[in-house]
Amino acid sequence: MENRVEKEIIEFNNPRDILGMGIKNILQYRKTDPKFLNLIKDWNKTIIIGFKDIYDVTVIFKGMNIHINYGSTQDYDLWLEIGSIQTMTDLAKGDLGPISGFLTGKIKVKKIWNILVLLHFIRIFIPNLRMAGDVGELRQKGIGRRNEVGA
Amino acid sequence: MKLERNSRINQTNKSEIKSKLEEIFGAKNVTDKKHNLLPYSYDATECEPGMPDFICMVENVGQVINVVKYANNKKIPLVPYITGNNIGGLTIPQEGGVVLDFGKKMNQIIHIHESHMYALLEPGVTFGQLYKHLKENYPHLRYCYPFAPPYSGVVGNAILSGMNNLSCIHGSMGDWINGLEVVLYDGSIVRIGSCFMGDKLSVDNWHSRYPMPDLMGLFVNWQGATGIVTKCAVQLWPRKKIERKLLAICKNSAVTAEFIREIGRLEIVDDISAVSVEVAKMALGDPTPVKLDSEPDFPVILPMSAHNEQHYQVKVDLVNQCIKKIEKKYNTTIQCTDFDYFAACIGDDIRVFADLPNVITPLVEYSGLTWVGTYAPPDNLEPLIDETAQVFIKFDIPMFIYMKSMKSSHYAIFRPIIRYKKELEEERMKKATADILEVCLKYGCIPYKTPVWMAKRLQEIIDPNWLKFFKRTKKFMDPNNIFNPGRWGI
């Protein structure tokens, strides 16, 4: 009898807001990476990602499910404010790191005493953001664009 | 679907006409079979369908001359057709007749002149074809691309003054026509522009529209109602070393309108394309998007080109300075960042609006598509947005508005778009577009690629002397009304 290996997959909801769609896209960059799956698995936390002067997005990690909601909630484990969409792209490009982001005030944190939660979330989010940055760099060079000749 | 409008062709003479058409085009290029005619009888819009009597695949100018002479003699309508992707019912025969399909076989890129920077094209050349040809053979030159599929025709868009991704800096495509070759009603062939010097003197003489008396206006924006264009020379532009895009996000109509105007006036961006946030969400996979309270109203894409990094950075700094002025004036924030990196974060599908030519997926997902595409006074963008939004709410349609600055904000494009299920929602969408048209007319907008029903409405309010002159000109250019009759409702 064959041993079937059950492939673990992350289940996402379908956010209806634009930034929520973006967060989902970012989180999906490593959705098949076993290391990423181990970070997510059973890490049951609620993280708010706030985009300054735009709005907040709540990301609920539960088991192998990630639920992304428009707006914030009172009951959260960590609230992270990204100063602007420029800050997000700087993080993606690698022009800004999370530490320098905090030190320069471009990234703000509430409940910073939950340092383990913060560090864990950084391990989830930042490498994915960097992967997005790699894709952005390729697109800027004209690689993988939708109108690529011969594509 | 009632298709058989009153065809001008005497049905008892059809076999004689078919024989003549086969003599001109070759039997394999002529059809009158209903299943072949059907796709040419309608398009994605709400415009009334109309069946042609014949379809002919055109291969060369000689065939056009012969068919025009014959049609003029017999008073048979001729409808030029390239790919039928216009949103205006422009290739739907109003009075039956012969559809001349240029898209399949008369589609050569005749000549690219590198130093004079123009492309001489047959009518069937598509954007995708031209893009590929330039990228592979003339990478230092570029043309423009609209929010239209790569299989749309270049010449059709040019002679209908289409807007595109270089519109802020260079205006509409109609402005970039250097020359036309046209077949007139009597079968004579005329060259408009510097090409009037004639082939014997020089091959490469399609360099300029001016300075002779400008007859180009007799054919641009006439929807094929004054003659049949068989060649068109379009200006190309130097491709700069750096081509990148910024993305800005604007809240509310006032800020968005000001942003479009003021950035346009800087004369440093190639294009300004603003879409309502619902449209961005459509591209990202939400078929029935709703704008949520705190979401920005309009993402705006700013393609820019520069000679080097310093040049590009100067432009970015100028954009940021302009943004700061607008932020101060309206006590708001406008966030701006690099589009390529932002798109990689938000979702690659958003690139449909940037990587032109491209199939703009939100535009093709439904069986029906219509819009009220207008040239608009830039000062009126704010009330246009606000009042059109009310129409979208009234009819429970996701807001789909597209706006551009044209030629450094001399004028703007305001284009509310509706996609719908043709069989189920057409009557309701007709009402919605009629309401939107009223808003647009109220604020001085003029529809382009005007469908017949819009033209008729427009005629009720425009200068009657213009209308008289327009009809006289049409009569002069086409005494037997063979060229796409019924266009503009006349």
Side-chain angles (χ1 to χ4, degrees):
Chain A
M1 204 157 130
E2 278 182 37
N3 287 328
R4 282 184 172 217
V5 176
E6 291 256 347
K7 229 181 173 175
E8 286 182 308
I9 53 167
I10 304 173
E11 298 280 345
F12 287 88
N13 68 321
N14 286 319
R16 301 295 304 277
D17 65 288
I18 189 114
L19 293 177
M21 290 169 163
I23 298 291
K24 178 182 173 182
N25 184 64
I26 292 166
L27 289 171
Q28 286 184 316
Y29 267 99
R30 291 194 291 161
K31 67 181 177 182
T32 56
D33 182 346
K35 288 181 188 168
F36 183 72
L37 296 176
N38 273 335
L39 285 171
I40 300 294
K41 192 175 171 182
D42 297 326
W43 189 66
N44 300 326
K45 301 290 178 210
T46 299
I47 311 294
I48 297 176
I49 304 175
F51 290 86
K52 189 170 179 244
D53 295 325
I54 312 179
Y55 61 88
D56 298 340
V57 177
T58 301
V59 187
I60 303 170
F61 295 87
K62 194 167 183 177
M64 289 301 283
N65 291 292
I66 300 178
H67 208 88
I68 301 165
N69 293 336
Y70 168 73
S72 58
T73 175
Q74 295 296 325
D75 186 20
Y76 60 89
D77 296 290
L78 186 76
W79 181 87
L80 199 76
E81 185 192 74
I82 295 178
S84 65
I85 54 174
Q86 182 62 50
T87 301
M88 186 174 72
T89 54
D90 286 342
L91 286 167
K93 281 163 136 180
D95 289 350
L96 183 74
I99 307 295
S100 45
F102 296 132
L103 293 173
T104 55
K106 289 181 180 176
I107 304 173
K108 292 185 179 154
V109 181
K110 282 186 191 165
K111 292 195 179 177
I112 196 164
W113 53 86
N114 279 345
I115 192 78
L116 293 177
V117 174
L118 174 62
L119 291 174
H120 194 101
F121 183 67
I122 288 173
R123 287 170 63 200
I124 289 172
F125 198 66
I126 298 297
N128 284 38
L129 209 42
R130 291 278 165 80
M131 287 182 79
D134 290 342
V135 170
E137 190 180 348
L138 287 172
R139 300 289 181 266
Q140 194 148 100
K141 289 176 181 170
I143 298 166
R145 289 187 186 173
R146 282 162 179 269
N147 59 351
E148 219 175 309
V149 172
Chain B
M1 189 162 66
K2 181 171 178 266
L3 293 173
E4 272 81 21
R5 279 198 237 185
N6 296 329
S7 171
R8 250 207 270 160
I9 286 183
N10 185 335
Q11 300 298 304
T12 56
N13 292 341
K14 272 189 103 166
S15 58
E16 178 202 314
I17 296 171
K18 189 175 178 189
S19 297
K20 182 65 183 175
L21 293 174
E22 285 177 345
E23 186 190 310
I24 295 171
F25 294 101
K28 64 177 168 59
N29 288 327
V30 177
T31 181
D32 62 350
K33 293 191 168 38
K34 210 155 188 179
H35 60 272
N36 290 328
L37 304 180
L38 188 63
Y40 294 81
S41 67
Y42 69 98
D43 63 17
T45 70
E46 77 291 359
C47 296
E48 293 296 321
M51 201 73 143
D53 294 282
F54 299 96
I55 310 296
C56 299
M57 303 290 164
V58 184
E59 290 178 311
N60 56 59
V61 181
Q63 291 173 342
V64 178
I65 292 170
N66 289 333
V67 76
V68 168
K69 281 180 180 168
Y70 177 69
N72 191 49
N73 186 256
K74 300 288 183 188
K75 299 192 173 117
I76 295 171
L78 298 174
V79 179
Y81 178 102
I82 301 174
T83 61
N85 281 292
N86 71 88
I87 305 297
L90 304 182
T91 55
I92 297 175
Q94 302 296 298
E95 297 179 18
V98 180
V99 167
L100 300 175
D101 186 337
F102 291 88
K104 311 297 186 297
K105 296 188 175 187
M106 198 162 162
N107 54 12
Q108 297 304 305
I109 298 171
I110 300 166
H111 180 61
I112 304 281
H113 196 299
E114 275 190 77
S115 58
H116 297 166
M117 296 186 290
Y118 66 78
L120 182 60
L121 309 172
E122 287 188 332
V125 173
T126 64
F127 285 106
Q129 186 187 351
L130 184 57
Y131 175 83
K132 188 169 190 276
H133 185 75
L134 290 176
K135 187 156 188 192
E136 289 175 351
N137 302 293
Y138 302 91
H140 51 290
L141 295 174
R142 59 177 177 166
Y143 190 56
C144 65
Y145 304 100
F147 272 19
Y151 44 81
S152 295
V154 176
V155 173
N157 266 280
I159 60 178
L160 291 168
S161 298
M163 79 285 314
N164 55 81
N165 62 347
L166 296 178
S167 274
C168 189
I169 201 91
H170 294 306
S172 90
M173 290 167 72
D175 291 344
W176 319 355
I177 301 173
N178 276 355
L180 295 174
E181 178 185 88
V182 190
V183 177
L184 303 180
Y185 75 91
D186 58 357
S188 61
I189 194 157
V190 66
R191 287 193 169 181
I192 313 288
S194 61
C195 54
F196 83 159
M197 297 287 275
D199 271 344
K200 292 189 182 92
L201 293 171
S202 166
V203 172
D204 296 334
N205 57 0
W206 295 76
H207 54 85
S208 169
R209 176 171 176 162
Y210 308 116
M212 67 297 290
D214 188 12
L215 299 179
M216 195 82 69
L218 289 171
F219 305 101
V220 174
N221 300 328
W222 281 85
Q223 302 177 10
T226 50
I228 298 203
V229 172
T230 49
K231 285 188 185 68
C232 179
V234 297
Q235 291 173 351
L236 303 174
W237 304 94
R239 181 180 287 284
K240 296 189 185 70
K241 236 179 151 185
I242 291 180
E243 286 178 4
R244 291 187 199 146
K245 298 170 190 63
L246 294 179
L247 178 100
I249 50 178
C250 296
K251 293 175 192 172
N252 78 52
S253 52
V255 171
T256 309
E258 182 92 342
F259 182 83
I260 290 171
R261 283 189 296 265
E262 294 306 312
I263 296 289
R265 284 192 190 117
L266 288 178
E267 296 188 293
I268 56 172
V269 302
D270 291 350
D271 187 37
I272 300 174
S273 280
V275 292
S276 38
V277 73
E278 291 91 330
V279 181
K281 296 206 281 188
M282 284 176 196
L284 292 171
D286 186 346
T288 52
V290 173
K291 184 190 163 309
L292 302 169
D293 280 341
S294 298
E295 282 186 307
D297 293 83
F298 287 95
V300 187
I301 300 177
L302 307 174
M304 296 203 293
S305 49
H307 295 294
N308 53 40
E309 287 292 343
Q310 277 172 300
H311 187 200
Y312 183 71
Q313 200 48 56
V314 165
K315 288 189 168 192
V316 171
D317 290 344
L318 287 168
V319 168
N320 285 329
Q321 283 173 32
C322 184
I323 285 175
K324 283 197 168 46
K325 269 193 209 155
I326 300 171
E327 287 178 330
K328 195 174 173 185
K329 180 175 175 183
Y330 288 90
N331 192 27
T332 186
T333 51
I334 299 172
Q335 296 196 22
C336 188
T337 190
D338 183 285
F339 174 83
D340 288 312
Y341 288 93
F342 184 79
C345 293
I346 215 82
D348 225 31
D349 287 342
I350 210 83
R351 297 198 69 91
V352 293
F353 301 112
D355 296 339
L356 302 177
N358 201 345
V359 175
I360 310 294
T361 41
L363 296 180
V364 300
E365 287 169 328
Y366 283 49
S367 52
L369 178 69
T370 188
W371 62 49
V372 182
T374 67
Y375 277 37
D379 276 357
N380 291 346
L381 285 176
E382 183 184 345
L384 281 165
I385 295 168
D386 290 339
E387 292 190 32
T388 306
Q390 295 309 309
V391 177
F392 279 107
I393 291 168
K394 178 181 164 188
F395 286 89
D396 193 27
I397 306 166
M399 189 154 106
F400 194 151
I401 287 179
Y402 172 54
M403 294 179 288
K404 293 173 97 64
S405 159
M406 302 287 283
K407 223 169 189 174
S408 306
S409 299
H410 276 88
Y411 53 101
I413 296 296
F414 181 75
R415 189 164 89 186
I417 301 171
I418 300 176
R419 51 188 214 159
Y420 62 98
K421 293 169 189 162
K422 229 173 168 4
E423 292 302 314
L424 299 173
E425 296 178 306
E426 192 139 273
E427 287 312 307
R428 199 165 72 90
M429 293 310 132
K430 279 182 183 174
K431 291 179 186 147
T433 44
D435 281 9
I436 291 172
L437 178 65
E438 291 309 312
V439 172
C440 292
L441 294 176
K442 179 178 165 188
Y443 289 103
C445 298
I446 304 162
Y448 64 83
K449 295 186 189 174
T450 322
V452 172
W453 72 269
M454 275 191 212
K456 286 179 176 173
R457 175 67 186 108
L458 193 59
Q459 285 169 30
E460 292 169 10
I461 60 172
I462 57 176
D463 174 13
N465 284 336
W466 185 95
L467 197 53
K468 274 187 208 157
F469 184 42
F470 171 70
K471 289 177 179 174
R472 274 166 56 192
T473 308
K474 163 70 176 170
K475 183 78 183 160
F476 168 75
M477 295 296 294
D478 184 17
N480 289 323
N481 198 22
I482 61 167
F483 291 132
N484 214 356
R487 302 315 322 170
W488 265 78
I490 60 165

